[in-house]
Amino acid sequence: MSKVERIQRLSPNTRGEDYVVGDIHGHFSVLEAALSHIGFDVHRDRLLSVGDLIDRGPESHRAADFLGQPWFFAARGNHEQMMLDTVGGDTIAPGARALWYQNGGRWFEEVDEYEAHVLCSALAELPYALAVERADGRQVGVVHADLPAQRWATAVAAIADAADESTVLQHTIWSRERAGAIQARLDGQRSRRAVDVGGIDRVFFGHTPMPAAIAFSNTRWLDTGVFLPRGRLSIAALSDDSLWSFAVDDTRDIRRGWRELS
């Protein structure tokens, strides 16, 4: 992947709505039910993913089908990177397969060679962040885990310029530093770690499961533990900040609205 492709820039969607979905983890049937409920229109709307499409759920093999759709866009998550580290090159990094399998990657053993190639090729093209321009002029970012700087422009420049396998790229898909500050606030504590992101209207994160979808300052946290007991899949609309969280075991069980932190 070339450096300029690490940030995928999306022009305004002038035909329909843009939605952002939290970590899917192979629960694509739940996603389909959720999209049906919110009236998602594949001819007009776009769905932006914070990453972690695969592992821990029953339908990880379906990720390639969604990545092939013109209305679906995803940032790279650490689970996609674990797969690429294991099967995406000529050599396997020491311990890569064991790490991936410990984190839900064993489903890959049942995938045929052609499907494996298609999926691996699609994952290798995933950017580390999405930069979305809205028709009203607002700027929205989508990233998996964290940003390597407090200002958006500085962070995306660092991602674009980073060497392969750099700590900057690892931070983007693995770090829980910013999420840790959110979790501290949930526990009634204060953290010195800044959470908000300067120079952008809103940034959506995944990676760290939260007890509910969280809104804090200009950040939104959409991983609501779809793979956990009583987990949910959360989807937000960019136009009005609407939020739906669907129970995995019964998609008719829907929570509305963000848990707002101050």
Side-chain angles (χ1 to χ4, degrees), residues 15 40-45 71:
R15 301 179 60 195
F40 186 88
D41 185 342
V42 297
H43 302 292
R44 295 162 45 89
D45 301 330
W71 45 265

Side-chain angles (χ1 to χ4, degrees), residues 182 185-186 195 202-204 210 212-222 241 243 257-262:
I182 290 291
R185 288 177 178 272
L186 285 170
V195 176
R202 187 153 296 156
V203 182
F204 289 83
M210 300 289 179
I214 302 294
F216 176 76
S217 185
N218 67 339
T219 68
R220 299 293 183 268
W221 301 83
L222 274 176
D241 213 23
L243 186 283
W258 301 91
R259 179 170 177 179
E260 297 190 13
L261 299 182
S262 58

Side-chain angles (χ1 to χ4, degrees), residues 41-192:
D41 185 342
V42 297
H43 302 292
R44 295 162 45 89
D45 301 330
R46 300 187 298 198
L47 183 63
L48 319 175
S49 164
V50 298
D52 276 5
L53 309 176
I54 60 171
D55 299 344
R56 294 177 171 162
E59 301 171 314
S60 292
H61 61 283
R62 297 186 61 194
D65 294 336
F66 282 79
L67 288 169
Q69 300 302 320
W71 45 265
F72 188 87
F73 302 86
R76 180 183 303 223
N78 61 304
H79 282 261
E80 284 78 47
Q81 190 61 54
M82 283 190 285
M83 177 176 170
L84 292 171
D85 289 343
T86 303
V87 298
D90 296 330
T91 60
I92 300 176
R97 186 180 300 277
L99 176 64
W100 184 31
Y101 279 19
Q102 288 170 7
N103 285 278
R106 195 170 293 277
W107 61 272
F108 190 74
E109 293 181 348
E110 305 300 322
V111 177
D112 68 41
E113 184 175 354
Y114 175 74
E115 288 181 318
H117 173 74
V118 171
L119 179 55
C120 195
S121 296
L123 297 186
E125 293 299 316
L126 289 180
Y128 286 84
L130 305 176
V132 186
E133 184 179 352
R134 298 284 295 160
D136 60 8
R138 289 183 297 146
Q139 304 293 318
V140 175
V142 178
V143 68
H144 183 59
D146 202 348
L147 289 168
Q150 290 307 119
R151 295 193 62 79
W152 175 256
T154 306
V156 296
I159 293 169
D161 293 338
D164 293 339
E165 309 300 327
S166 72
T167 56
V168 167
L169 300 184
Q170 294 298 308
H171 186 93
T172 305
I173 60 176
W174 281 101
S175 172
R176 301 192 194 275
E177 289 182 19
R178 200 178 301 258
I182 290 291
Q183 292 176 319
R185 288 177 178 272
L186 285 170
D187 292 337
Q189 306 170 14
R190 293 292 177 178
S191 172
R192 294 183 178 180

Side-chain angles (χ1 to χ4, degrees), residues 29-34 37 232-233 245-255:
S29 290
V30 177
L31 175 60
E32 288 172 327
H37 175 85
R232 290 179 176 268
L233 180 69
S245 291
F246 297 84
V248 172
D249 55 0
D250 182 0
T251 53
R252 295 170 298 178
D253 179 1
I254 305 165
R255 292 179 184 169

